[in-house]
Amino acid sequence: MEGNKASMKTREITVGLVGNPNCGKTTIFNALTGARQKVANWSGVTVEKREGRLKHGGVSIRVIDLPGIYSLTSYSMEEIITRDFIIDDRPDVIVNVIDAGNLDRNLYLTTQLINIGAHSVMALNMFDEAANKGLIIDSDKLGTLLGIPVVKTVGTRSIGIDELLDRIVQVARGTDDTARHIHIPFGDDVEAEIRAIQEKMREDEAIGDRYSTRWLSVRLLERDTDAVKKLKAFPGNEIIMEQVAKSRSVLERFFDEDIETIISDRRYGFIAGAVRESVKKTAPRRVDVSDNIDRVITNRYLGFPILFLFLWALFHLTFALGEYPMNLIETGVHHLGLAVERLMPAGPLKDLLVDGVIGGVGGVIVFLPNILILFMGISFMEDTGYMARAAFIMDRVMHTMGLHGKSFIPLIMGFGCNVPAIMATRSLENRQDRILTILINPFMSCSARLPVYILFAGAFFHVHAGTVILSLYLVGILLAFVSARLYSLVFFRGGSTPFVMELPPYRIPTIKTTLLHMWDRASQYLRKMGGIILAFSIVIWFMGEYPKSPDIARDYEAHIAAARSHNVRVIDKALADQTPSAALETLRGELEAKVESLEVEKISLEKRNTMIGRMGSALTPLTEPLGFNQQMGISLVTGFVAKEVVVSTMGVLYHAGNGAGGAQQPVDQAIRRPEYGITPLSAYTFMLFVLLYVPCLATVVVMGREAGWRWAFISLVYQLLLAWIVCFLFYNAGRILGF
Amino acid sequence: MKRYGDTACRQELFENTDLSANMEDYMETIALLASRNRVVRVRDIAKTLKITMPSVTAALNKLREKDLIHYEKYGFIELTDRGRHVAGLVYRKHSFLKRFFGEILGMEQTSADEEACRLEHHLSPEACRRLYRLVEFHDAEHGSEIEWTGRLQDLMDEGPLSELREGQSAAIVKVLGDSPLRKRLIDMGFRKGERITVVKYAPLRDPIELSIKDYRLSLRVEEARDIMVRPLERGRRRRRHGRE
Ligand SMILES: Nc1nc2c(ncn2[C@@H]2O[C@H](COP(=O)(O)OP(=O)(O)OP(=O)(O)O)[C@@H](O)[C@H]2O)c(=O)[nH]1
Ligand SMILES: [Mg+2]
């Protein structure tokens, strides 16, 4: 690390953001780089390394946002990422982000950073909150005591960011006055043993080159398995390990405490001293309302009702409030269709545009408002701090299901989208909990399934649509729990893992974050529209149109022409016979109906021959027992790519089905036409199937990546089977009961 | 209390009364009321022992048969000489047992009283004598009381975090076990002497919300069992002792 300094002026500076969970690292990262990484008020939001770049006074800086850690001994997956980054990648500067309102515990990590000899700058973040608590922190004093330049920051308002950058550059160049290496004193007895171990390490210079020997000695004393692993890489490690064991037993005997306690005690002792000298406590400027809010939110009697009411209101609003903008967009799409219809010359291109593109993409885009509302609700939960409380009150329930309270967060996030939800499981420490949570996540109805629900529930259940949708969410949750038990019975039998979770203070979500969350979602949705959904709409349209069947077309056209001319003759005759005008009208209607039915017959025969038609027939043995028509079967297949495609596929298929000159009908009216044979029962079964069968492609991929492909495969098979069996039972039971 | 605090410690001071526990309680109550009110009435006894007047009357009749009290219907009750002796025996036992639980084991006044009430009827004279010696020893060593009873009481008070009531604070004594959880908790500031408060139990009584240093943490009851603490406010004891 020392050698870097000379070349620093020309090279890019690498900066790592390190700190306890939820202390505002990502907020500072965003303020530094202008990025829009996710910020939320619970621990363990960031689960991956994230990079950003910026220039400050001509120096280019690479900033890396990291998952939060409490100490350099790490357990959960995302914490290991951070530790490995600090220790193996050795960034030029570490920005140690500290929650100023919770100084003691946050500084513990700092003492460890000092131990490894990192070059740090401290961002004393959440300074506003500390001031409200009545803490007066002398940051210069603190900096001098720790040998680390300290900058007061308020990440949410970008206060102190420039100064932070100045200090980063100074530390990187080695020109900062405050930055110096201090030793945290462990007391004479411990120090003597550390020296003894260091002595043994000196025999192999390679160790000292790679790691700080003081740090390694302390870690070894503390029985850190990772440190042991690191040491094993060097020859002669046995002698060192022997010395470590000897030193440890000497100390433990002397203090009558285990070594972890001895060392952490010294660290906290050092911190207490530093805090005593640099912090003054005065009367709080503002009362902390968190406790008062919690008196209600996690109240013994009100806790659960409030949680359920909140979730119910969220889903209800998603549907009810979303309907207005949805209707607006629907009308827009409709008019666009009509305009194109009018303006373009007839031909395959026009059909493609009207039926394929507008029918498909238009059918899905209308759900954008619903999805935004849903995400606003989830974002509210995450940003206020309610999410952690929900996990807190749900832990008991989750525990009975073989899950973990923290699993509740990814599960709720799953209502938004399963992909980030599965990523969020990284904050679960235990692999078993994690895999289980991943496996059941697809049962959480993601927002991509919402369009299907809204379409079918709206078309077939009218006023009860909201209740029907809620029931689907509940069925999903129920089956998630059942499956969790099933999976853990078959695959896992380990004990439970501890539930150590911080409950952050309530914070008022900034409009900026909420809007950013929503915008992120909206843009993602729109990109999906422009990408996969558009592509699939076109493909489906082609598959639904081709291959053409010229014979059938010719035959039927002849038939139709014959019928038409026959009609003309009949009417002429009737006119000649002076038939009264009322009777004439009826006659005309009858004749036209005959022609129309011929046309429908023609189209359905033509469809049967297209690729989609053949696919539909091939699927019939599977879909018929569930009461699905061919279009439904097909859209389930294409829906594997993304669940919204179910709706766009229907849009394309039914649009095209409207056929020659038929009035443009929105999909929700089209699917109700009697010739498609969808009953409320089969509609519900269909929604059920969409809820249960394979999650989308992206979810399967992320499952494979996070849990392993074996699990992704198991889940795929399980969900297909489950969906089919449940739907079969449901549909047939419903029929027997006479629905 | 001091009335019986004579240093002589003869075995016969603790001889058995041959009365049932019930009857012993009556004798004790009568002696107590007599020393407090001068006159003792059925009503007073019924009120003190929380039983109905007819049952008190029935019991008094039995005691009169044993020649332990003077009692006329609707009149005052007085102890006979023999009665005074018996009541003395019972009361002596009670008061030193109460001191044993309260002053030596450091239990709360009311629960020390209750424990003494329950135990006094069942101890053998020998056990009584030895316990009495202990209380005496404690008295004699008065100057060094803090030394050993203080330490003893701290030890007695120690218990798992999971037994604290909502709103109660304690000092951490030790985190037991050898799990990664222990290390994590130590890293998070669970060190000896640190003040920790049980903020609340979750609605289903399981995870506990704790307040330590300047933050809030939740932990399952099962995990809180491994954290040994000493309650900070004396008198507000854990569930184990007083009833909640
Ligand atoms: N009042 C106040 N709130 C802040 C400040 N900085 C961040 N926050 C809030 O603190 C919460 C946590 O912020 P994040 O940036 O997600 O924290 P993090 O350290 O990245 O968290 P993890 O990724 O979970 O480790 C969010 O609700 C922020 O809005 C600050 O300076 N003042
Ligand atoms: Mg973060």
Side-chain angles (χ1 to χ4, degrees):
Chain A
M1 220 175 267
E2 311 294 323
N4 299 344
K5 279 177 193 161
S7 55
M8 199 58 72
K9 283 194 186 74
T10 48
R11 222 166 39 85
E12 194 178 46
I13 303 173
T14 307
V15 176
L17 287 163
V18 177
N20 283 184
N22 208 40
C23 66
K25 298 176 296 299
T26 307
T27 313
I28 289 193
F29 177 79
N30 290 347
L32 282 171
T33 62
R36 288 201 305 252
Q37 291 304 326
K38 179 166 171 172
V39 166
N41 193 17
W42 47 277
S43 300
V45 178
T46 309
V47 290
E48 281 181 309
K49 269 194 280 200
R50 279 288 153 78
E51 269 190 42
R53 274 163 216 278
L54 73 142
K55 266 204 158 24
H56 179 70
V59 187
S60 39
I61 303 177
R62 188 166 71 109
V63 189
I64 292 145
D65 185 24
L66 293 160
I69 52 172
Y70 290 108
S71 85
L72 290 180
T73 326
S74 308
Y75 310 106
S76 67
M77 201 175 145
E78 95 266 14
E79 289 176 326
I80 291 169
I81 295 175
T82 306
R83 193 207 42 206
D84 286 352
F85 177 80
I86 299 172
I87 290 167
D88 299 335
D89 293 9
R90 294 192 155 196
D92 300 316
V93 179
I94 284 179
V95 172
N96 184 198
V97 184
I98 296 284
D99 172 0
N102 186 6
L103 212 49
D104 270 32
R105 196 204 62 208
N106 276 257
L107 286 177
Y108 187 78
L109 179 64
T110 311
T111 62
Q112 293 189 323
L113 291 176
I114 291 173
N115 235 197
I116 61 171
H119 298 284
S120 314
V121 177
M122 181 177 296
L124 204 54
N125 196 35
M126 306 209 174
F127 207 75
D128 49 340
E129 283 185 10
N132 285 340
K133 277 188 188 175
L135 298 177
I136 298 172
I137 305 175
D138 182 346
S139 57
D140 293 336
K141 184 78 161 273
L142 187 66
T144 315
L145 288 170
L146 298 172
I148 299 174
V150 176
V151 181
K152 297 175 178 177
T153 60
V154 179
T156 38
R157 280 184 272 140
S158 295
I159 296 174
I161 299 298
D162 269 333
E163 196 195 337
L164 187 65
L165 282 167
D166 290 341
R167 299 309 278 267
I168 290 172
V169 174
Q170 280 179 22
V171 169
R173 289 189 174 147
T175 56
D176 196 282
D177 303 333
T178 322
R180 70 196 162 95
H181 187 66
I182 63 158
H183 269 216
I184 311 260
F186 287 120
D188 293 344
D189 308 284
V190 182
E191 291 292 347
E193 298 303 326
I194 292 174
R195 268 198 303 278
I197 300 170
Q198 276 180 305
E199 202 59 47
K200 290 275 187 302
M201 283 182 184
R202 294 249 162 74
E203 283 159 27
D204 186 352
E205 276 181 13
I207 302 180
D209 286 347
R210 189 140 168 65
Y211 303 109
S212 140
T213 52
R214 183 177 165 84
W215 169 76
L216 200 58
S217 313
V218 174
R219 298 316 279 169
L220 288 170
L221 272 177
E222 286 183 292
R223 293 194 186 86
D224 185 52
T225 45
D226 185 68
V228 175
K229 214 160 61 201
K230 290 203 158 76
L231 186 71
K232 284 266 158 69
F234 299 98
N237 61 70
E238 281 105 15
I239 306 167
I240 299 172
M241 283 314 291
E242 227 167 78
Q243 176 63 42
V244 170
K246 209 171 84 200
S247 299
R248 192 188 297 136
S249 76
V250 166
L251 290 173
E252 290 190 342
R253 212 160 337 115
F254 183 73
F255 288 103
D256 192 26
E257 286 273 20
D258 55 296
I259 197 82
E260 289 97 334
T261 315
I262 301 169
I263 290 177
S264 84
D265 233 49
R266 299 299 185 282
R267 288 206 170 106
Y268 270 113
F270 172 78
I271 292 166
V275 169
R276 208 178 307 123
E277 283 190 46
S278 52
V279 181
K280 261 213 311 263
K281 264 198 170 158
T282 58
R285 263 202 254 162
R286 215 179 286 170
V287 279
D288 187 17
V289 288
S290 280
D291 276 349
N292 292 332
I293 298 176
D294 263 344
R295 218 156 276 163
V296 181
I297 295 287
T298 56
N299 181 281
R300 189 170 308 163
Y301 306 105
L302 295 177
F304 280 108
I306 289 178
L307 178 61
F308 294 136
L309 197 74
F310 180 84
L311 292 178
W312 176 82
L314 177 59
F315 295 127
H316 189 76
L317 280 184
T318 301
F319 187 70
L321 210 67
E323 203 170 304
Y324 303 100
M326 183 177 145
N327 286 338
L328 230 66
I329 300 179
E330 200 164 46
T331 329
V333 170
H334 183 62
H335 283 294
L336 184 69
L338 288 182
V340 173
E341 178 94 60
R342 213 166 324 120
L343 292 176
M344 278 188 58
L349 187 63
K350 173 177 154 183
D351 287 349
L352 170 67
L353 262 184
V354 174
D355 298 334
V357 177
I358 299 178
V361 176
V364 182
I365 204 158
V366 297
F367 300 105
L368 183 62
N370 306 88
I371 284 161
L372 288 185
I373 295 171
L374 184 67
F375 270 93
M376 195 171 76
I378 294 177
S379 161
F380 176 83
M381 264 184 108
E382 290 188 301
D383 294 344
T384 50
Y386 187 35
M387 198 66 123
R389 269 73 183 185
F392 173 67
I393 61 177
M394 283 298 289
D395 178 63
R396 194 62 238 285
V397 182
M398 304 296 278
H399 200 42
T400 341
M401 306 294 166
L403 286 161
H404 193 272
K406 274 196 219 166
S407 313
F408 193 66
I409 298 177
L411 291 182
I412 289 287
M413 286 170 71
F415 289 133
C417 176
N418 296 140
V419 174
I422 286 174
M423 297 290 290
T425 58
R426 287 191 181 189
S427 62
L428 291 162
E429 281 124 55
N430 175 287
R431 187 169 161 75
Q432 172 185 325
D433 290 336
R434 213 177 143 234
I435 289 180
L436 208 53
T437 314
I438 291 176
L439 288 175
I440 63 167
N441 208 291
F443 288 110
M444 300 295 121
S445 285
C446 66
S447 59
R449 276 170 258 194
L450 201 57
V452 183
Y453 300 163
I454 294 177
L455 175 65
F456 277 83
F460 291 95
F461 296 94
H462 318 287
V463 286
H464 300 297
T467 320
V468 164
I469 293 177
L470 186 69
S471 79
L472 284 161
Y473 278 95
L474 292 179
V475 169
I477 294 168
L478 184 79
L479 283 174
F481 285 155
V482 172
S483 307
R485 290 238 38 93
L486 212 68
Y487 276 128
S488 55
L489 269 181
V490 179
F491 296 111
F492 306 112
R493 242 166 283 228
S496 59
T497 35
F499 181 65
V500 195
M501 186 187 68
E502 248 193 280
L503 295 167
Y506 284 100
R507 297 196 165 103
I508 298 169
T510 56
I511 297 174
K512 196 174 121 200
T513 5
T514 314
L515 286 182
L516 275 183
H517 272 179
M518 288 172 62
W519 167 243
D520 264 3
R521 257 310 118 184
S523 67
Q524 227 169 44
Y525 197 71
L526 292 176
R527 273 203 301 277
K528 217 172 178 183
M529 294 294 110
I532 198 141
I533 293 179
L534 177 64
F536 260 74
S537 299
I538 294 173
V539 169
I540 305 263
W541 179 82
F542 265 104
M543 287 174 70
E545 290 291 311
Y546 298 91
K548 294 272 186 206
S549 330
D551 317 344
I552 296 176
R554 218 177 308 119
D555 280 3
Y556 270 85
E557 246 128 60
H559 280 307
I560 292 169
R564 285 235 169 86
S565 57
H566 169 75
N567 288 357
V568 173
R569 272 200 308 277
V570 174
I571 297 211
D572 281 350
K573 189 162 169 280
L575 280 175
D577 291 352
Q578 306 264 311
T579 325
S581 61
L584 197 65
E585 275 310 302
T586 2
L587 184 64
R588 201 172 264 162
E590 272 169 26
L591 293 172
E592 261 163 34
K594 224 176 261 167
V595 173
E596 230 170 75
S597 79
L598 271 176
E599 276 176 348
V600 169
E601 221 170 283
K602 168 190 168 214
I603 288 165
S604 71
L605 275 179
E606 273 180 332
K607 290 283 160 222
R608 201 168 294 162
N609 259 334
T610 60
M611 278 180 267
I612 285 282
R614 288 187 204 150
M615 193 162 113
S617 327
L619 285 172
T620 316
L622 281 176
T623 54
E624 209 168 58
L626 311 181
F628 301 163
N629 64 26
Q630 291 198 356
Q631 287 90 339
M632 287 162 126
I634 293 159
S635 58
L636 286 176
V637 174
T638 54
F640 173 57
V641 180
K643 292 269 164 92
E644 294 99 334
V645 175
V646 172
V647 172
S648 66
T649 304
M650 296 227 143
V652 176
L653 293 180
Y654 286 114
H655 250 262
N658 279 350
Q664 285 278 349
Q665 235 176 348
V667 198
D668 58 340
Q669 282 164 40
I671 56 174
R672 260 185 314 194
R673 295 208 309 209
E675 64 256 36
Y676 294 124
I678 308 177
T679 62
L681 177 65
S682 65
Y684 195 92
T685 316
F686 185 71
M687 291 190 273
L688 208 55
F689 199 89
V690 169
L691 162 67
L692 299 177
Y693 88 125
V694 272
C696 67
L697 192 61
T699 308
V700 176
V701 170
V702 80
M703 268 181 154
R705 258 206 347 245
E706 295 292 312
W709 293 101
R710 187 171 82 101
W711 290 113
F713 181 73
I714 288 174
S715 133
L716 208 73
V717 173
Y718 172 75
Q719 293 207 285
L720 270 176
L721 284 177
L722 185 77
W724 200 87
I725 292 169
V726 167
C727 287
F728 180 77
L729 294 177
F730 179 80
Y731 180 68
N732 288 296
R735 266 213 324 202
I736 290 165
L737 293 175
F739 283 104
Chain B
M1 201 181 290
K2 282 276 176 270
R3 264 194 300 166
Y4 303 100
D6 33 80
T7 36
C9 188
R10 286 157 296 141
Q11 190 99 5
E12 57 264 38
L13 276 179
F14 305 108
E15 71 192 294
N16 281 329
T17 57
D18 298 327
L19 289 178
S20 69
N22 227 342
M23 290 302 147
E24 285 190 352
D25 279 342
Y26 275 108
M27 292 304 292
E28 198 182 345
T29 310
I30 294 167
L32 197 80
L33 289 171
S35 70
R36 209 189 284 155
N37 304 350
R38 217 179 294 274
V39 290
V40 183
R41 283 170 301 210
V42 176
R43 180 151 35 96
D44 303 329
I45 301 175
K47 216 163 84 190
T48 319
L49 289 175
K50 297 194 183 74
I51 39 186
T52 61
M53 305 239 289
S55 21
V56 174
T57 317
L60 290 180
N61 284 330
K62 265 190 214 149
L63 289 176
R64 190 180 51 193
E65 276 163 31
K66 295 202 171 176
D67 196 25
L68 293 170
I69 56 170
H70 298 299
Y71 166 56
E72 299 304 327
K73 219 166 186 180
Y74 308 119
F76 298 141
I77 301 147
E78 264 174 37
L79 293 171
T80 60
D81 284 348
R82 215 175 98 71
R84 244 191 293 282
H85 174 69
V86 168
L89 283 175
V90 176
Y91 189 71
R92 185 158 36 236
K93 267 196 232 175
H94 179 84
S95 56
F96 88 79
L97 281 172
K98 184 174 161 190
R99 290 185 58 210
F100 170 72
F101 286 116
E103 288 167 34
I104 299 184
L105 298 190
M107 287 171 67
E108 215 177 320
Q109 281 294 322
T110 45
S111 36
D113 207 34
E114 279 169 21
E115 292 298 337
C117 267
R118 238 172 288 160
L119 204 62
E120 66 195 16
H121 312 298
H122 305 290
L123 283 177
S124 70
E126 170 67 7
C128 276
R129 195 175 59 82
R130 284 174 183 261
L131 275 176
Y132 187 78
R133 273 266 156 89
L134 179 63
V135 177
E136 263 194 336
F137 175 69
H138 167 246
D139 282 351
E141 303 271 302
H142 204 72
S144 55
E145 180 186 294
I146 316 300
E147 240 307 60
W148 75 273
T149 33
R151 261 195 348 232
L152 180 70
Q153 281 171 18
D154 280 355
L155 200 69
M156 294 284 162
D157 281 351
E158 271 173 28
L161 180 65
S162 54
E163 289 188 4
L164 291 189
R165 269 184 277 112
E166 239 168 50
Q168 212 178 351
S169 294
I172 293 175
V173 174
K174 196 171 201 154
V175 184
L176 303 175
D178 190 26
S179 55
L181 172 66
R182 170 166 190 272
K183 189 124 186 40
R184 152 69 43 105
L185 291 178
I186 289 176
D187 286 343
M188 291 179 86
F190 281 62
R191 60 195 286 244
K192 191 170 176 170
E194 190 71 48
R195 185 192 173 96
I196 189 165
T197 307
V198 171
V199 179
K200 71 163 51 157
Y201 285 82
L204 295 177
R205 309 292 292 159
D206 205 344
I208 311 177
E209 180 180 346
L210 301 167
S211 159
I212 179 170
K213 292 196 179 284
D214 289 309
Y215 68 97
R216 296 298 169 85
L217 187 76
S218 85
L219 218 56
R220 292 208 186 109
V221 171
E222 190 190 321
E223 291 139 21
R225 268 191 205 121
D226 280 346
I227 302 170
M228 298 305 282
V229 297
R230 184 161 38 75
L232 286 180
E233 307 99 279
R234 292 209 158 263
R236 295 185 63 201
R237 280 295 140 58
R238 288 185 302 277
R239 289 185 239 167
R240 174 148 50 116
H241 295 152
R243 254 142 272 173
E244 230 189 341

